[in-house]
Amino acid sequence: MNMFIERVLSGMRPTGSLHLGHYHGVLKNWIQLQHEYECLFFVADWHALTTHYDNPHLIEQSVWDMVLDWLAAGVDPAHATLFIQSRVPEHAELHLLLSMMTPLGWLERVPTYKDQQEKLTEKDLSTYGFLGYPLLQSADILIYRANQVPVGEDQVPHIEFTREIARRFNHLFGREPGFEEKALLAVKKLGSKKAKLYHELRTRYQEQGDDEALESAKALLNEAQNLSLGDSERLFGYLEGGGKMILAEPRALLTAAAKMPGLDGQKMSKSYHNTISLREDTDSVVKKIRTMPTDPARVRRTDPGDPAKCPVWALHQVYSSEQTKQSVVQGCTSAGIGCIECKQPVIDAVLEEQKPMHERAKPYEEDPTLIRNLIADGCEKARELAQETLRDVREAMGLNYS
Ligand code: TRP
Ligand code: SF4
């Protein structure tokens, strides 16, 4: 196993049950990532409180349902660490410490801050917690030194912000006394050949801004077996000219914007009341799709229709083979098929997709202690990682008196 396997972290806010839009937009991606990386997925309950502080019961209920939905979808606790944010209080301590050095202007400039305030007018979001939302997210990410963060487009500024926070932190607190000397000693430990190469690459990067040299030097460090963690961090820091790298800058792993259409042709979203939930029962799925609106021009069975004007067609795009789609276009435009007939393959495909989800969910539904236990395990694992980072952060900030 590769020791330097990249770490992926992502969180989801528990504000209601999950639907097929979450599956196609987010969970399918997580499920793939869990086999390729070390993955941490968490329930962002504190984040939910920043916008839903007036309805904590919704959050409480959603937490366990959401984890159950993840498991149903195929997130596998044997491959990914699943936990709840508020059960790892280290996130809060890091958030507090980072808040000391976070310029207010940086937070006010995050686009989601004004957007959400304008959009959610029924809520008072001029709160301290809501302004600090992106910083809490930074703490979530930085506390695990996560390299990659799968998010949607709207969250990319939060990852950018996190990178700036990490840089600022390392710049302010990453200098230990005698850093340069220690770094030079650490270079020697690479062995003379690699040490020479490291110096060359560092010079090329620092004097000519050669990114390739930077990447090669990083690869060299990643492969070096005999370095202590401290020396390894010093060498990464020395390479880029800063101090010791205490917090790692993450990258956004942009999830291809799978816009899952809802029952009315708009994007599937709880606020449009056009969803099919992940574990919706069969009868309800059938009924919802059977009663979906179709091309309004098809009043009678004998009227030809235009798939482009029909929400059912949007679902065929997600679920149907080329062949089925061809026969839909042919049948619809010539009034050769009726809408009920046209909907059947979509119904079948959705039920087929959900079948394994119901099966995976069953043991957890029957015995709720299973979920409680696997989350307890996940929280414990996450805490260990979080405590390690926090130790370094406290030390760097001069808070390790004992
Ligand atoms: N802000 C994210 C969202 O609304 C949820 C979230 C919280 C998150 N902390 C995170 C996502 C850390 C990725 C990493 O979707
Ligand atoms: Fe929509 Fe299919 Fe009816 Fe055409 S036949 S209007 S595509 S449901």
Side-chain angles (χ1 to χ4, degrees):
M1 177 117 136
N2 181 354
M3 254 177 71
F4 295 98
I5 192 161
E6 299 238 302
R7 186 177 284 164
V8 165
L9 169 110
S10 201
M12 206 186 273
R13 294 148 33 91
T15 54
S17 70
L18 300 189
H19 51 65
L20 292 179
H22 295 108
Y23 177 66
H24 286 269
V26 183
L27 292 174
K28 257 167 60 177
N29 191 235
W30 285 14
I31 290 158
Q32 198 183 341
L33 290 169
Q34 71 187 351
H35 299 295
E36 296 163 10
Y37 299 98
E38 177 191 351
C39 285
L40 296 154
F41 299 128
F42 73 98
V43 179
D45 55 346
W46 281 336
H47 283 273
L49 273 175
T50 64
T51 50
H52 291 64
Y53 56 85
D54 52 352
N55 190 4
H57 295 298
L58 173 70
I59 298 172
E60 192 182 357
Q61 259 171 24
S62 307
V63 167
W64 299 110
D65 274 352
M66 192 167 87
V67 177
L68 189 42
D69 283 335
W70 292 356
L71 297 166
V75 176
D76 183 349
H79 287 282
T81 303
L82 311 181
F83 65 98
I84 298 173
Q85 183 184 32
S86 65
R87 294 259 204 103
V88 186
E90 285 76 10
H91 290 226
E93 185 175 338
L94 184 59
H95 177 213
L96 174 88
L97 294 176
L98 294 175
S99 78
M100 305 302 171
M101 42 133 279
T102 302
L104 212 43
W106 288 16
L107 284 166
E108 287 161 344
R109 255 193 280 123
V110 174
T112 44
Y113 179 59
K114 285 230 158 57
D115 287 359
Q116 294 282 87
Q117 274 190 336
E118 279 162 20
K119 235 167 78 190
L120 305 172
T121 42
E122 75 282 12
K123 289 193 177 132
D124 180 6
L125 290 183
S126 41
T127 57
Y128 183 53
F130 187 68
L131 178 67
Y133 185 118
L135 189 63
L136 181 57
Q137 184 164 353
S138 300
D140 298 336
I141 297 166
L142 297 174
I143 204 152
Y144 300 105
R145 296 181 162 124
N147 316 92
Q148 305 219 45
V149 185
V151 285
E153 194 117 38
D154 62 315
Q155 295 285 312
V156 171
H158 293 177
I159 310 305
E160 245 338 287
F161 171 83
T162 302
R163 294 168 62 82
E164 283 170 22
I165 293 291
R167 238 173 277 148
R168 182 164 165 80
F169 184 95
N170 291 336
H171 177 73
L172 284 170
F173 304 114
R175 281 166 207 282
E176 50 185 345
F179 174 75
E180 178 107 10
E181 289 76 14
K182 284 186 189 166
L184 288 172
L185 273 177
V187 179
K188 287 211 178 108
K189 290 185 198 159
L190 289 169
S192 61
K193 231 169 107 191
K194 284 189 179 161
K196 185 158 168 266
L197 183 58
Y198 175 89
H199 281 303
E200 280 169 13
L201 292 168
R202 177 174 177 270
T203 308
R204 258 170 59 200
Y205 172 64
Q206 293 203 348
E207 290 177 5
Q208 298 152 38
D210 182 339
D211 286 328
E212 237 169 75
L214 177 64
E215 287 313 311
S216 309
K218 283 185 178 172
L220 182 149
L221 293 179
N222 275 330
E223 281 159 21
Q225 301 277 335
N226 49 350
L227 288 176
S228 69
L229 198 59
D231 274 344
S232 165
E233 284 174 355
R234 273 177 206 109
L235 290 183
F236 276 106
Y238 187 60
L239 186 59
E240 298 192 62
K244 183 175 161 197
M245 191 192 77
I246 299 170
L247 298 177
E249 288 180 41
R251 269 166 293 134
L253 190 59
L254 199 60
T255 318
K259 284 245 165 51
M260 176 73 182
L263 293 165
D264 57 358
Q266 298 187 84
K267 177 180 177 229
M268 189 178 282
S269 160
K270 192 176 62 167
S271 46
Y272 298 146
H273 305 286
N274 63 358
T275 62
I276 296 174
S277 52
L278 211 74
R279 288 176 286 131
E280 185 135 358
D281 62 73
T282 304
D283 292 347
S284 170
V285 171
V286 173
K287 193 165 151 216
K288 278 186 175 175
I289 299 177
R290 286 234 172 103
T291 53
M292 270 180 77
T294 58
D295 175 2
R298 281 205 87 179
V299 184
R300 281 173 297 263
R301 165 73 176 74
T302 49
D303 297 330
D306 177 1
K309 295 182 180 140
C310 177
V312 179
W313 176 241
L315 285 180
H316 276 294
Q317 302 296 331
V318 177
Y319 286 106
S320 298
S321 65
E322 280 312 312
Q323 202 187 357
T324 306
K325 284 191 275 188
Q326 269 176 27
S327 72
V328 165
V329 172
Q330 218 282 322
C332 179
T333 53
S334 65
I337 55 169
C339 291
I340 291 287
E341 191 184 337
C342 175
K343 286 170 172 177
Q344 196 56 45
V346 173
I347 294 176
D348 293 341
V350 171
L351 293 179
E352 189 61 27
E353 177 169 80
Q354 287 178 321
K355 207 166 117 196
M357 298 192 195
H358 286 296
E359 278 162 17
R360 277 189 290 257
K362 203 158 175 247
Y364 298 106
E365 286 164 341
E366 283 167 3
D367 181 3
T369 61
L370 290 177
I371 287 205
R372 300 298 197 270
N373 290 342
L374 77 86
I375 287 291
D377 285 351
C379 292
E380 200 177 314
K381 258 195 240 161
R383 268 198 99 167
E384 269 170 37
L385 298 173
Q387 279 166 355
E388 220 174 276
T389 308
L390 204 51
R391 231 183 342 258
D392 294 348
V393 167
R394 287 199 193 117
E395 188 184 298
M397 292 181 81
L399 292 167
N400 62 336
Y401 4 84
S402 54

